[in-house]
Structures are given as C-alpha cells and as structure tokens.
Amino acid sequence: MSLLEVRDLHVTYGSGPHAVPAVRGVDLTVAAGQKCGIAGESGCGKSTIALALLRLLPPSARLRGEILLQGEDVLTMRWGRLRAVRWAGASIVFQGAMHSLNAVRRIGEQIAEPALVHRRATPAAARRLAQDLLEQVGLPGSRAAAYPHELSGGQRQRVMIAMALACAPSLIVADEPTTALDVMIQAQILGLIGRLVTDRDIGLLMISHDLAVLADVCDRLSVMYAGRVVEEGPARAVYEGARHPYGQALSAAFPRVGDASSRRAPRGLPGDPPDPSALPAGCAFHPRCALALDLCGHQEQVLTGDDPHRAACLRAGDLQTVPLGRTP
C-alpha cells in the first residue's frame, strides 16, 4: 500500500457558471522513503493540491476524488480524525517562513506545540523535543529561546522543518520551501530535507516552479499545466529529456551550470498560462505550443501507457526537431 495515493482529484473554487477549475483529474502516488515533486508555473494547481491533502482549502473549494493517506480517505474523515492526522500523519512546510511563524512567540514554544497537542507530551518533554529537533536541522538547541525576527531566512525555514517533524509524521509536504533564499542556503535546506526523508523513511511531496531543484532532490516528478499533470516520470528523465513541450520549456528556462549554450541563449516560453475560468478547448497548452496540430485545439490529451515516463502529448516524439517558442 502506498503512503499517499491521490486518485482523480478535482478541485473547483466557487459553483455554478462562475466556478473555477483549479485541479482537473490529478493522480499521484508517494511511497515511504520516496521523494516526489510537482512542478509548474504559478496558477497551475500545485499549491491547491498541497492544501487539499489535509483539507486546508477555503470553504469555497469543492473537492471530488480520493486522497488516501495510509489507506484512509482524507476527504471523508470526520473532523476529530482529520485533526489527529494533521501534524502526526502528514505535515506541511509552507513557503515564506516569516509569514507562517508567530512573531510574538519564541520558536521553541512553536515547535513544541504540536507535540503538546497531538502527542500529549509534558511541557518539559516538549521543550527537550524542540531543542533536539533544532539540533537535527542544524541549529543550536539554545536558539529555542529566540523570536522569529532574530533568525535569518534560512534559519526560519529550518525552524519550519523542525516543526513539521515534531509529531514524527509519515509524510511531509514542502510547498516552495526555498522561496526567496539565496542559492547557498537553498542548497543546504534541500540537502537537509533529503537527508531527513531518507533517515526517517518518510515520504516527501515537494512543490516548486524550479524543475532543476526538483530534479536534484526528488526520485519522481510530475509536471502540471492548467490543473492537469501533463508529464510524469523519473525526475532526471523528465528534467533532461522532457517528452512534453511544456516540460521541455520549464527545463530550458534555467541555464545549466557548465553549459555555455544554455547560458548564452536562455530560452523562455511566450505568452501566459490560461485563465482557469476560461480554459481553451482541447489541450490547454496548445496556444503556446510550437508543435501544436489542428487536433490539439479540439482534443484534450491524457497520460497513457505503462511507460514510467509518460506525457500527455500527440507530438512527444518530435520535441528535438522543433524550436520551443512561438508567438501565440
């Protein structure tokens, strides 16, 4: 049994004629000890999936499908069971640690709180746990007495990771965990997350717009566009040999260290992602795609086949012969 299994997940904001489809039929699987990534531009549905996993979406969201966490469907859990699953079964590391931490409480208190509430730890045991977790994420235990504003951005992100580990969850969801950090601190945080996942044999679902970051950390990768997964497979295979034009565009958007050609001729993608409330007919990517056929404007493509590296594209085999961009 997989640690996390998402089956045909649909998330819509609002209802009636003004409903906005944010996630459209997504399937994901994460096993214990596995690191999986979701990549895509802003607005593709990545963070909506992260919040849906623990039912943290606003009341306006309508969910359909299944989210099985260790065999239990999160979408049908009673409130008491859901409260117990949060932190202890799965926890989330949000982007922007300064906005997620309480500015007027010491960080040790904030790390200890999940253990006090969910593990029924004594105050003394919770304080010791907070200090131990800080040391596990590379900070002195004495920093438990600090306030968030007394820490650097990288240190605050480490505090968020320590907090996520406080109840020994089986799954960690990391939503853009290195946003706004410099590249050296980003590398440290990503290495830390990877080591903790391996050492504790837990699952990781990491969300980012940066395909290169996910390829370095994750085992498997899903690329999302307009609420759908358009490509999935082994992380390195997706990054280095994308089979969907959008996956290739994401990969090409970041120059590769040591690759002079990519540094001198960086490639982007013209146009903007579609408005979720007014998606184009057929494949949602076709207005921006250099390989689009007439059929692409009428027929939406889905992931098919048993190949571990799959793409929802009619022209997956033609990517190396046609330039990426064209003006919509």
Side-chain angles (χ1 to χ4, degrees):
M1 180 177 64
S2 298
L3 175 60
L4 172 70
E5 190 170 355
V6 177
R7 299 176 180 172
D8 194 29
L9 179 65
H10 294 256
V11 181
T12 303
Y13 293 105
S15 58
H18 302 295
V20 178
V23 175
R24 305 182 295 137
V26 166
D27 297 304
L28 292 170
T29 301
V30 181
Q34 187 176 41
K35 300 181 285 287
C36 298
I38 303 178
E41 293 170 284
S42 297
C44 72
K46 308 186 303 296
S47 293
T48 292
I49 289 178
L51 296 175
L53 295 181
L54 289 176
R55 278 170 48 190
L56 296 173
L57 292 169
S60 61
R62 301 290 182 267
L63 287 77
R64 177 164 54 88
E66 292 181 306
I67 300 175
L68 302 178
L69 183 61
Q70 294 181 311
E72 290 187 81
D73 191 350
V74 173
L75 301 185
T76 61
M77 285 180 181
R78 294 181 179 273
W79 168 245
R81 178 57 182 156
L82 179 62
R83 187 172 183 269
V85 165
R86 292 172 177 170
W87 293 101
S91 58
I92 298 182
V93 178
F94 294 103
Q95 57 179 309
M98 193 61 188
H99 303 294
S100 301
L101 294 170
N102 189 327
V104 297
R105 295 184 64 198
R106 299 179 191 275
I107 62 169
E109 297 172 3
Q110 299 184 60
I111 296 171
E113 184 176 18
L116 287 168
V117 173
H118 294 279
R119 298 177 66 174
R120 308 293 184 185
T122 64
R127 285 194 296 272
R128 288 195 299 271
L129 175 65
Q131 293 175 349
D132 289 344
L133 288 170
L134 284 173
E135 291 174 359
Q136 287 182 39
V137 299
L139 292 174
S142 60
R143 298 300 281 164
Y147 289 96
H149 73 272
E150 296 178 303
L151 304 177
S152 69
Q155 289 174 327
R156 288 194 293 266
Q157 202 64 50
R158 290 171 186 265
V159 171
M160 288 297 298
I161 296 170
M163 193 183 303
L165 294 170
C167 292
S170 301
L171 174 71
I172 290 181
V173 180
D175 187 2
E176 299 276 9
T178 57
T179 296
L181 299 180
D182 66 67
V183 292
M184 294 301 294
I185 300 301
Q186 173 179 279
Q188 293 175 16
I189 296 297
L190 293 175
L192 169 64
I193 292 174
R195 288 193 301 274
L196 289 170
V197 168
T198 300
D199 293 345
R200 291 172 173 248
D201 196 33
I202 58 180
L204 172 69
L205 184 63
M206 181 177 288
I207 293 168
S208 178
H209 64 279
D210 191 334
L211 209 63
V213 163
L214 294 176
D216 283 340
V217 175
C218 297
D219 307 312
R220 289 191 57 79
L221 184 58
S222 296
V223 177
M224 287 189 66
Y225 188 81
R228 284 188 177 275
V229 174
V230 297
E231 184 169 3
E232 66 178 13
R236 272 289 150 190
V238 173
Y239 178 58
E240 296 175 355
R243 296 181 180 179
H244 192 285
Y246 182 63
Q248 191 186 58
L250 282 181
S251 178
F254 297 90
R256 288 170 168 78
V257 176
D259 184 349
S261 62
S262 70
R263 185 177 70 251
R264 294 168 184 164
R267 293 179 291 178
L269 185 64
D272 297 307
D275 183 343
S277 63
L279 293 173
C283 172
F285 184 64
H286 86 267
R288 305 172 73 189
C289 181
L291 303 181
L293 303 170
D294 289 341
L295 183 60
C296 298
H298 306 284
Q299 179 177 311
E300 189 158 28
Q301 302 301 309
V302 296
L303 298 169
T304 57
D306 297 325
D307 192 324
H309 185 181
R310 304 186 296 165
C313 182
L314 289 172
R315 301 288 300 276
D318 301 331
L319 293 185
Q320 304 305 315
T321 60
V322 180
L324 278 174
R326 77 171 185 192
T327 302

